[in-house]
Amino acid sequence: MEGKVLICDPVDNVLIEKLKSKFNVEYQPEINRDKLLSIINDYNVVVVRSRTKIDRDIIDRGKNLKIIARAGIGVDNIDTDYAEAKNIKIVYAPGSSTESVVEITLAMMVMGARDLVKGIENTRKNDFTKLKGFELAGKTLGILGYGRIGHAIADAARAFNMNFIAYDPYPVEYQDFVKKVTLEDLLKNSDVLSINVTMRKDSPYILNDPELSMLKKGVIIVNTSRANAINGRDMLKYLRDGTIKSFVSDVFWHEPAREDYEFEMLKMPNVLITPHLGAQSVEAQKRIAIMTAENILKEW
């Protein structure tokens, strides 16, 4: 065997099998931080998903680490700058869960517009009161972060006959049916705001109070990327006063919640939080596993 791999979070079995062709692989999907700190020095490669955080202390203990792999599309749970300064390679699986994230994003848009969750909760109590929502047709979908997933969301949402605007701080291509706008215009004109940004561990909030104050009254915010795109404490007052009709998110600042503002949000009827399900499909997990394994083997 050429090296040792430690897998710290649950992954599809195909990742393990592919790596076994070249490595001695140990699978410890429930390992805690203390145990990880005590054994990381024995491994050349560590594989994580979102549960395990790879910070400076772990990197310092990992004297033999050559690769840190994230079996997913983001690396915000890894101190990438510090790892790269130590000549440790970072690999992940960009694009592997696009289809699954797009599907859940569109589902969340409909949930926010039509009060589906409240309706289901009511009928479980034998309450068949009709709830009036609104159609997405004719509304403006604003996309914050117009990379691979942002493009795919726009393509899929054309079925709803919406209007499309998008903002990205980086130079990107825009489809001919999507209008490129400033961040201010995006916030002022979006009936539905989809957040699809990539962030590093130390990235600042994108939406603080000054930006949130620009939101169109009655907006639905859908976040299937990174919680830290939004300052949650600042957003709370706009949820309270109804500026934000619905906040539907697959990500949360702490999972589980631990701050007062998080606990308050979880009790609000216009807040719907799912437990990071964007990439949780059989198909996406297999694609992630294959791409992660291939990228590890390529960098080794």
Side-chain angles (χ1 to χ4, degrees):
M1 295 294 179
E2 291 192 28
K4 292 184 69 176
V5 176
L6 176 64
I7 300 175
C8 298
D9 294 324
V11 297
D12 189 283
N13 193 59
V14 70
L15 191 153
I16 300 169
E17 294 305 314
K18 277 185 168 290
L19 292 181
K20 280 183 177 179
S21 66
K22 197 157 193 172
F23 298 99
N24 179 3
V25 180
E26 291 190 23
Y27 185 42
Q28 299 193 37
E30 297 180 2
I31 191 170
N32 61 35
R33 176 179 169 78
D34 289 341
K35 178 70 178 299
L36 179 57
L37 280 166
S38 70
I39 67 173
I40 191 65
N41 189 50
D42 296 335
Y43 299 91
N44 309 114
V45 180
V46 61
V47 180
V48 300
R49 289 183 60 204
S50 56
R51 183 185 72 92
T52 301
K53 316 300 179 188
I54 302 296
D55 57 23
R56 289 187 173 213
D57 289 341
I58 292 172
I59 292 168
D60 281 337
R61 293 281 188 96
K63 304 292 185 186
N64 295 304
L65 278 178
K66 298 184 184 301
I67 296 173
I68 298 171
R70 165 77 158 89
I73 64 171
V75 292
D76 55 314
N77 57 323
I78 301 168
D79 193 331
T80 53
D81 290 336
Y82 193 64
E84 287 165 356
K86 296 272 189 177
N87 295 316
I88 300 171
K89 295 175 181 176
I90 306 295
V91 304
Y92 61 114
S96 53
S97 59
T98 297
E99 290 84 354
S100 289
V101 173
V102 169
E103 288 179 4
I104 202 170
T105 300
L106 267 61
M108 286 179 159
M109 288 165 52
V110 175
M111 286 164 60
R114 301 298 298 273
D115 290 327
L116 295 182
V117 173
K118 181 63 176 174
I120 293 168
E121 289 175 349
N122 286 351
T123 57
R124 288 189 188 280
K125 296 179 287 189
N126 203 28
D127 176 358
F128 281 75
T129 302
K130 289 179 171 54
L131 303 173
K132 187 178 292 185
F134 63 81
E135 293 179 352
L136 295 174
K139 304 301 189 297
T140 296
L141 173 60
I143 303 174
L144 175 55
Y146 206 58
R148 183 186 293 106
I149 290 176
H151 275 74
I153 287 170
D155 282 331
R158 295 183 79 177
F160 293 144
N161 295 317
M162 302 182 78
N163 304 307
F164 299 93
I165 58 178
Y167 167 77
D168 197 297
Y170 300 102
V172 296
E173 289 189 14
Y174 292 78
Q175 292 114 306
D176 56 9
F177 62 92
V178 178
K179 182 180 179 182
K180 176 184 177 181
V181 296
T182 65
L183 178 59
E184 181 176 350
D185 285 340
L186 185 86
L187 299 173
K188 287 182 175 180
N189 294 292
S190 296
D191 298 299
V192 180
L193 178 63
S194 178
I195 299 176
N196 307 100
V197 297
T198 299
M199 303 186 74
R200 297 173 74 93
K201 178 178 177 291
D202 56 352
S203 296
Y205 297 120
I206 298 171
L207 302 182
N208 294 286
D209 190 77
E211 292 78 25
L212 294 166
S213 69
M214 301 177 190
L215 288 169
K216 185 175 183 179
K217 178 75 173 180
V219 66
I220 295 171
I221 297 180
V222 175
N223 189 357
T224 53
S225 57
R226 294 292 176 259
N228 282 342
I230 309 173
N231 185 323
R233 289 182 178 85
D234 287 353
M235 185 171 67
L236 191 55
K237 72 177 180 181
Y238 298 100
L239 288 165
R240 288 170 177 157
D241 69 14
T243 297
I244 301 172
K245 178 188 183 296
S246 302
F247 175 54
V248 193
S249 182
D250 191 40
V251 289
F252 214 52
W253 293 269
H254 298 99
E255 301 173 3
R258 62 177 187 232
E259 301 286 345
D260 289 345
Y261 76 92
E262 295 174 309
F263 288 116
E264 181 174 348
M265 275 191 201
L266 290 176
K267 295 176 183 176
M268 298 178 81
N270 57 338
V271 174
L272 303 172
I273 307 298
T274 52
H276 224 133
L277 300 179
Q280 290 298 317
S281 67
V282 172
E283 296 84 356
Q285 286 303 304
K286 190 170 291 294
R287 289 193 298 269
I288 288 169
I290 292 169
M291 186 179 292
T292 303
E294 289 176 347
N295 288 341
I296 290 170
L297 292 167
K298 186 188 306 178
E299 291 296 335
W300 184 257

